[in-house]
Amino acid sequence: MQHLEYMTAAYIIIWVAILLYFLSLSKCEKAIWEELRELRATITKDNPS
């Protein structure tokens, strides 16, 4: 149990990095879905069936 503080700090840093990574992925996914909605609206507007 000599280096427990370092292990705890590393564990916290890793989980924060994972959380930030997933938050950035979520932001990118949101932008992609918004662009897809815009493309669908453009296609529907230009091509009424």
Side-chain angles (χ1 to χ4, degrees):
M1 301 289 184
Q2 192 174 12
H3 300 288
L4 188 59
E5 298 87 16
Y6 294 118
M7 287 180 58
T8 304
Y11 188 77
I12 291 170
I13 290 169
I14 289 169
W15 277 107
V16 168
I18 290 170
L19 176 65
L20 291 174
Y21 175 70
F22 279 115
L23 287 174
S24 70
L25 282 180
S26 174
K27 185 178 177 182
C28 290
E29 182 185 12
K30 186 177 179 182
I32 289 170
W33 280 108
E34 183 60 36
E35 186 175 352
L36 184 60
R37 276 188 222 104
E38 290 174 9
L39 287 171
R40 284 181 178 164
T42 302
I43 290 170
T44 304
K45 184 176 68 172
D46 291 344
N47 234 354
S49 297

